[in-house]
Amino acid sequence: MRDIPVNLGGYKLTVVEPPAPKMREDANGAQVPVTDKDGATQFTISLFAKLRVKPGEWAPKGEEIKVTLATDPGPDFGEDARVELLDARVSPYQIESAGRVNAGLAWRAMGIKHAAAPAPRPSGDK
């Protein structure tokens, strides 16, 4: 299975590494941009994903994920920005190399947007 839709609405996503063009090493050892089948440059962003909990609840440990973006997100997504993924998808992978097996999840999204500000908490008038 590939490109499984993912709903991350219950998570806070914080930028750890701002978006940058995705690069790979060519046959000559030079770094070249990664493009999709239509020739559009792909981008990567690293996010810290942490479960959103109610006040007083314990939040389990979060995880850093690296996401490939299909579009240029623009310059407004610096470190510590809260974001949402647009059309988030995940694909499991397994790579065997030199007798070792690497497995994990490859994250993709069409793009990102700034997350809506959290609603203010009601004041406790007594």
Side-chain angles (χ1 to χ4, degrees):
M1 293 178 79
R2 296 186 45 97
D3 292 329
I4 303 164
V6 179
N7 179 353
L8 294 171
Y11 287 81
K12 295 183 286 188
L13 302 176
T14 306
V15 175
V16 177
E17 289 181 27
K22 187 172 185 176
M23 305 297 278
R24 68 171 176 79
E25 194 171 296
D26 70 6
N28 299 322
Q31 293 290 312
V32 296
V34 174
T35 59
D36 67 8
K37 63 183 182 249
D38 299 322
T41 300
Q42 304 289 283
F43 291 80
T44 61
I45 187 170
S46 290
L47 304 172
F48 188 74
K50 188 156 178 93
L51 186 64
R52 190 173 286 142
V53 296
K54 296 176 184 159
E57 290 184 342
W58 176 79
K61 181 179 164 187
E63 184 170 336
E64 187 173 328
I65 59 174
K66 190 167 204 164
V67 182
T68 298
L69 303 173
T71 57
D72 184 350
D76 298 331
F77 295 97
E79 193 172 326
D80 296 328
R82 288 280 171 89
V83 298
E84 294 178 19
L85 294 174
L86 304 173
D87 190 23
R89 302 174 311 279
V90 67
S91 295
Y93 69 86
Q94 180 173 317
I95 300 171
E96 295 183 40
S97 176
R100 298 188 71 199
V101 176
N102 265 343
L105 298 173
W107 293 85
R108 295 187 60 80
M110 286 305 296
I112 56 174
K113 69 176 187 174
H114 287 283
R121 292 185 183 160
S123 60
D125 293 336
K126 294 186 181 187

